[in-house]
Amino acid sequence: VAQALREVGRPRQSGRFVAWDEVEEVGLQDKRVLVNGETLFETNSRFFANEVAALIEELAELPREKRAKAIRSALRESMDTAAIEKRVKEFADETVTLRFSCNFYFAIVFGLIPAMLLYPPLLDRWPFVLAAMLALLALVLLDYRRAHRALYPDAKGHRRAHFWMILFSPLAAIRARDVVARELLAIYSPLAVANSICRPEEFRRFARERLADLRWPLQPVCEFEEETLRRTEESFRALLLEETERFVRRSGLDPDEVLAPPEPDGESSVAYCPRCDAQFAVADATCEACGDLPLVRHAIR
């Protein structure tokens, strides 16, 4: 995994390597991608796992000379802000009524029912409250099913599982819209999503973190000694850096400007870590937080 953000570090690596001409079968098991019947890696999203599995299958069938172009194309598609904005708009349009039904259900569960318990005379109205709850629950279920089917037409199992959760859990019913939104943009690059939904200053900070991690990766970059694994990681990271810089430029920012050295935070600051911007009073040292990455001396020192 080329990226290792500061909050979570580098994901644990299996070290499993499969050459393209050795790929015979690609499958899924929940959130795990299987190649030749064995787990290649596990994701946090069924939809992302499905997307990657389909991509691996497609790439394995391509001639060697066309594979690099297809990988680059897949990276660019994951950074398609127009597709992201279209997806977000579709979500907003498909969940208009679901938002209101969830909010009204929340008002009854956490507003009206506690009010009845605090004011006993209202308890005589419980049949009307129960009828309203059941009617709203039915509306939530119908709206959830319609919106989920429109946005994830092939996810029948996922939809069915959450349908029963919503039916029997008031908290799940209140958060039904969140369930629809949870994996809405799972197949897209987080950087492209940030560009679409964040404020410019937030996007700039996120872009800086992504670029810095690709230029000065967390050490050790590869935990394994095999040369093939190291070259594979290095090759993909270089491609990802190239496409990330291209996307940042297309977004109106200069990657070199985004990665400009920090200003010294005092007279004692003589060096900084290019990855995390931490500052140090010594130059001939390393940043332990970034895997002993060598420091860079401030230009004015």
Side-chain angles (χ1 to χ4, degrees):
V1 177
Q3 293 274 255
L5 301 184
R6 276 181 281 170
E7 291 82 359
V8 296
R10 191 178 304 284
R12 188 174 62 182
Q13 312 295 301
S14 69
R16 186 180 178 212
F17 178 84
V18 183
W20 287 113
D21 56 7
E22 296 173 353
V23 176
E24 298 177 356
E25 180 185 9
V26 181
L28 286 174
Q29 190 174 65
D30 194 24
K31 300 177 183 179
R32 292 186 295 158
V33 176
L34 310 178
V35 174
N36 299 341
E38 296 182 29
T39 299
L40 184 66
F41 66 93
E42 185 172 0
T43 75
N44 292 322
S45 164
R46 293 181 182 88
F47 298 99
F48 180 67
N50 183 69
E51 186 78 7
V52 175
L55 179 61
I56 292 174
E57 198 167 24
E58 176 188 340
L59 293 171
E61 294 175 355
L62 287 176
R64 180 186 181 92
E65 62 273 12
K66 295 184 178 180
R67 199 170 288 137
K69 183 178 179 180
I71 293 173
R72 186 183 296 274
S73 176
L75 281 176
R76 291 184 178 180
E77 287 178 8
S78 74
M79 299 180 186
D80 186 347
T81 52
I84 292 171
E85 291 167 4
K86 180 182 177 182
R87 185 79 169 154
V88 171
K89 185 179 185 304
E90 288 174 348
F91 168 76
D93 293 341
E94 295 291 345
T95 60
V96 171
T97 56
L98 180 60
R99 180 177 64 177
F100 286 107
S101 56
C102 289
N103 287 340
F104 281 126
Y105 195 77
F106 171 84
I108 289 179
V109 173
F110 289 100
L112 188 55
I113 292 178
M116 290 172 63
L117 297 176
L118 293 172
Y119 189 64
L122 289 177
L123 288 174
D124 294 338
R125 306 287 182 177
W126 71 264
F128 300 101
V129 175
L130 179 59
M133 283 188 64
L134 292 175
L136 276 173
L137 178 58
L139 184 60
V140 168
L141 288 168
L142 289 172
D143 287 342
Y144 163 77
R145 186 172 181 274
R146 179 189 54 76
H148 199 280
R149 186 164 55 184
L151 294 166
Y152 311 97
D154 299 325
K156 293 182 180 180
H158 185 269
R159 181 162 53 252
R160 188 181 302 113
H162 282 92
F163 182 91
W164 292 109
M165 288 177 58
I166 293 169
L167 178 62
F168 292 109
S169 169
L171 293 180
I174 290 168
R175 297 181 62 87
R177 190 169 185 259
D178 297 341
V179 172
V180 179
R182 187 173 299 154
E183 301 195 58
L184 185 74
L185 304 174
I187 67 173
Y188 295 102
S189 162
L191 185 62
V193 174
N195 179 261
S196 298
I197 66 176
C198 294
R199 294 190 295 269
E201 60 272 18
E202 293 173 331
F203 170 69
R204 184 186 181 92
R205 285 197 297 270
F206 192 57
R208 195 264 170 223
E209 185 172 346
R210 285 269 164 169
L211 287 169
D213 181 64
L214 286 168
R215 284 195 182 183
W216 303 285
L218 180 69
Q219 304 297 313
V221 177
C222 184
E223 303 172 6
F224 308 97
E225 297 298 329
E226 291 89 342
E227 183 63 23
T228 303
L229 271 67
R230 291 182 175 276
R231 287 192 289 108
T232 300
E233 190 283 333
E234 182 180 350
S235 173
F236 181 72
R237 179 161 41 86
L239 176 60
L240 186 56
L241 173 60
E242 183 181 338
E243 289 303 317
T244 300
E245 289 181 341
R246 176 180 176 274
F247 176 79
V248 170
R249 290 191 188 94
R250 202 174 69 212
S251 301
L253 298 175
D254 182 350
D256 292 329
E257 185 180 334
V258 170
L259 291 172
E263 291 293 328
D265 60 6
E267 290 296 324
S268 63
S269 177
V270 299
Y272 66 95
C273 172
R275 185 173 185 275
C276 69
D277 275 352
Q279 306 212 25
F280 297 82
V282 293
D284 298 327
T286 61
C287 178
E288 184 177 353
C290 293
D292 291 325
L293 192 70
L295 303 182
V296 176
R297 183 181 291 272
H298 281 298
I300 62 174
R301 296 292 175 179

